[in-house]
């Protein structure tokens, strides 16, 4: 929802060139939401879903931070300032999600790594 709000703010602002990043992030988050909701992650075991979510959070936090600084410092209209402020809020939200997802990823990788080496050592 936050990405969609930022996208709308960038459309209404002079910084319309930044609108692609929130749009892509919104669509990617929507895809991952529906993938988890429809249990697509259980059907496709070859894809590391926690790693995909982790990389999405990291790149989104970095990109939102960069375009928010540019929007707030370079453009003077209110919509650009609002998009920049919402971008900073999104950076914090994605950083928190990054931390939570990182803990899930570590747990996921420990489960996977503890199964395979022990099985190979005993054979």
């Amino acid at each position: 929802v936050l990405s969609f709000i930022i996208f709308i703010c960038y459309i209404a602002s002079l910084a319309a060139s930044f609108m692609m990043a929130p749009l892509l992030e919104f669509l990617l988050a929507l895809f991952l939401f529906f993938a988890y909701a429809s249990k697509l992650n259980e059907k496709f075991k070859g894809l590391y879903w926690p790693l995909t979510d982790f990389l999405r959070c990291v790149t989104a936090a970095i990109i939102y931070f960069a375009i928010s600084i540019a929007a707030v410092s370079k453009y003077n209209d209110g919509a650009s300032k609002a998009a920049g402020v919402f971008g900073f809020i999104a950076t914090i939200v994605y950083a928190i999600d990054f931390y939570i997802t990182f803990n899930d990823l570590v747990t996921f990788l420990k489960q996977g790594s503890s199964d395979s080496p022990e099985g190979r050592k005993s054979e």
Side-chain angles (χ1 to χ4, degrees):
V1 173
L2 195 56
S3 295
F4 188 69
I5 292 170
I6 295 168
F7 171 69
I8 300 249
C9 288
Y10 277 128
I11 287 177
S13 72
L14 295 174
S17 60
F18 295 138
M19 75 176 182
M20 194 56 137
L23 177 64
L24 288 176
E25 185 55 40
F26 172 71
L27 293 176
L28 188 58
L30 198 62
F31 168 74
L32 286 174
F33 174 73
F34 282 119
Y36 280 117
S38 65
K39 304 214 187 277
L40 206 65
N41 59 334
E42 295 174 1
K43 294 177 185 174
F44 294 106
K45 297 278 185 188
L47 185 65
Y48 294 115
W49 290 92
L51 182 62
T52 305
D53 199 20
F54 173 76
L55 292 174
R56 180 188 63 89
C57 292
V58 170
T59 56
I62 292 169
I63 289 171
Y64 274 130
F65 186 68
I67 65 173
S68 296
I69 289 174
V72 169
S73 64
K74 187 175 180 182
Y75 298 98
N76 290 328
D77 60 323
S80 296
K81 300 287 185 192
V85 169
F86 280 124
F88 286 126
I89 294 169
T91 301
I92 294 168
V93 168
Y94 280 115
I96 292 169
D97 193 21
F98 161 81
Y99 177 74
I100 293 168
T101 307
F102 180 75
N103 290 335
D104 291 343
L105 180 64
V106 168
T107 305
F108 179 79
L109 291 176
K110 282 183 182 178
Q111 289 173 353
S113 66
S114 66
D115 293 339
S116 58
E118 289 175 5
R120 291 181 188 160
K121 289 180 185 176
S122 64
E123 292 176 0

